Amino acid sequence: MTTNALLLANLGSPDSPHVPDVKRYLNQFLMDPYVVDLPWPLRRLLVSLVLIKRPAASAEAYESIWWDDGSPLIVLSRRLQEAVRPLWRHGPVELCMRYGEPSVESVLKRLASQGIREVTYAPLYPQFADSTTTTAIVEARRVIEAHQLPLTLKILPPFYDRPEYQAALAASVEPYLEEPYDHLLLSFHGLPERHIRKLVKDRSHDLRAPDSSKVSAKALAVCYRSQCQRTAELVARRLGIPDGKWSVSFQSRLGKDKWIEPYTEARLDELAKAGVKRLLVMCPAFVADCIETLEEIGDRGREQFIEAGGRELVLIPCVNDNPAWAQALVELCEEVAELPPQPIEQPKMPA
């Protein structure tokens, strides 16, 4: 049997919560044309301006959630890697980060040097977006092409609606529903509207549609916002949460562009003022807890909700290294491993 390595890919993290490391990480992240989709000169100018003050603020945020053994996202991703390792029968299980270390390039080169020829590549993003899924795939293909590595990729597609993932996601939430609560907020990472408009050609597509069943299959395939809505609908249905007791929002805005709505900051205030006292919040765009969940929601979001009149905000952890999620991920990747290898295409980078 051909050895097939499983390569898990997540977003990444600074090497430390210190300003120089955070600045280096932010520069790599924001200079990705799939993240800040401006022509290079404008992107370089904008990012340079952002890097004047933002690294210090971000470093303070990272410091507040940093663990003794490192960045929560890296630590939890490595724990997932270890949970998956005994379940994957085809070869080694490795971990890489799109930004920072371990880099996509270093891991793919090491696998090739070990004689691996097939790689099942698993971007750990449930919903599709160019700024997550596409850039992870393009980077892997770029490395293989640039270094002429004798590797073929089998790529895990977005899995937001797959029963395996949905079951693991629901299982991570169920213990938090045992005590009385007023509302469940599903807060997803935000995205500029133009990122979606570039992909969805239907001008009538509603970027605030409250029901994903009314979205065409063609639009759903590339619309991050609709996939988030479908994720929420499916998990709420699986958990038996009635309409009106759950809602969707989007966090982590950056810059002055129009981002998909409703905004999490606004929803926290609205829910508190509507009489919600005990609020549960989950973040299903992430499979590992990170600065966006632990600090943005668990710290700042909790403080905002209580100041607005709420009593308690409970942050539900991501699926992290839960055994049910590790098993679900392997099952999803097993399907991919059985497919014919996908040819390596010449990367097409934005301007």
Side-chain angles (χ1 to χ4, degrees):
M1 177 184 292
T2 302
T3 300
N4 186 322
L6 175 57
L7 178 53
L8 309 178
N10 213 329
L11 189 76
S13 177
D15 292 335
S16 80
H18 302 138
V19 172
D21 286 335
V22 172
K23 184 175 183 178
R24 188 179 309 111
Y25 170 79
L26 288 176
N27 182 69
Q28 184 187 10
F29 172 57
L30 295 174
M31 282 304 295
D32 184 342
Y34 287 104
V35 174
V36 178
D37 56 340
L38 296 173
W40 190 92
L42 292 177
R43 185 166 70 251
R44 180 67 272 173
L45 175 61
L46 175 63
V47 173
S48 296
L49 293 174
V50 169
L51 293 180
I52 294 173
K53 294 184 178 180
R54 190 172 181 84
S58 294
E60 184 177 349
Y62 275 110
E63 182 71 43
S64 71
I65 56 98
W66 207 262
W67 293 348
D68 290 342
D69 44 355
S71 160
L73 182 142
I74 302 293
V75 172
L76 290 166
S77 296
R78 289 213 176 278
R79 290 178 185 173
L80 175 64
Q81 177 190 6
E82 292 306 312
V84 165
R85 198 186 301 278
L87 304 176
W88 183 255
R89 304 174 289 106
H90 308 289
V93 177
E94 295 288 348
L95 174 70
C96 67
M97 297 291 153
R98 175 61 185 89
Y99 314 104
E101 298 295 336
S103 67
V104 178
E105 180 166 329
S106 65
V107 177
L108 285 175
K109 289 170 72 174
R110 185 173 73 249
L111 287 172
S113 71
Q114 294 170 352
I116 300 295
R117 296 297 175 258
E118 289 189 0
V119 176
T120 296
Y121 187 52
L124 296 175
Y125 309 113
Q127 301 85 19
F128 169 81
D130 272 346
S131 56
T132 52
T133 311
T134 300
T135 189
I137 295 170
V138 167
E139 174 64 6
R141 288 175 168 164
R142 182 199 68 78
V143 168
I144 292 172
E145 181 73 20
H147 298 281
Q148 298 184 329
L149 302 180
L151 297 174
T152 55
L153 291 180
K154 300 181 177 184
I155 301 171
L156 176 68
F159 45 86
Y160 65 97
D161 62 346
R162 291 298 303 268
E164 299 90 342
Y165 164 69
Q166 282 285 329
L169 186 61
S172 73
V173 178
E174 283 175 338
Y176 294 87
L177 304 183
E178 294 175 358
E179 295 184 27
Y181 68 98
D182 298 315
H183 195 86
L184 171 65
L185 180 65
L186 297 97
S187 178
F188 295 82
H189 198 287
L191 199 68
E193 284 190 357
R194 70 172 185 276
H195 282 212
I196 298 175
R197 291 296 184 195
K198 288 190 301 185
L199 300 173
V200 180
K201 305 305 181 183
D202 182 0
R203 296 295 93 185
S204 66
H205 178 60
D206 183 4
L207 279 178
R208 297 199 68 171
D211 184 350
S212 69
S213 67
K214 294 180 169 53
V215 176
S216 70
K218 189 175 181 179
L220 182 62
V222 293
C223 179
Y224 170 80
R225 198 230 183 258
S226 297
Q227 291 185 6
C228 291
Q229 184 69 31
R230 178 66 59 86
T231 302
E233 292 166 358
L234 291 174
V235 76
R237 186 182 310 157
R238 185 180 286 267
L239 292 167
I241 301 175
D243 291 347
K245 201 167 183 176
W246 64 271
S247 59
V248 168
S249 65
F250 298 90
Q251 62 183 85
S252 309
R253 281 182 293 159
L254 177 65
K256 299 180 180 180
D257 291 333
K258 175 69 172 175
W259 284 50
I260 52 178
E261 297 184 72
Y263 301 138
T264 296
E265 288 181 351
R267 282 298 289 150
L268 291 175
D269 284 342
E270 291 167 1
L271 290 167
K273 292 173 182 177
V276 170
K277 295 301 180 183
R278 188 167 193 267
L279 175 66
L280 307 183
V281 184
M282 61 186 295
C283 303
F286 307 95
V287 298
D289 278 304
C290 53
I291 191 170
E292 286 86 356
T293 65
L294 300 173
E295 193 273 338
E296 186 176 354
I297 300 298
D299 291 341
R300 284 187 287 134
R302 177 178 288 115
E303 182 179 350
Q304 178 192 341
F305 177 68
I306 292 173
E307 286 182 353
R311 186 182 70 245
E312 182 182 12
L313 185 153
V314 179
L315 175 63
I316 299 174
C318 295
V319 286
N320 292 327
D321 59 337
N322 292 351
W325 164 231
Q327 182 62 50
L329 178 58
V330 169
E331 290 174 8
L332 293 170
C333 291
E334 289 275 5
E335 289 185 15
V336 176
E338 295 174 0
L339 299 174
Q342 301 175 29
I344 300 299
E345 301 174 359
Q346 183 67 28
K348 296 180 180 179
M349 300 292 290

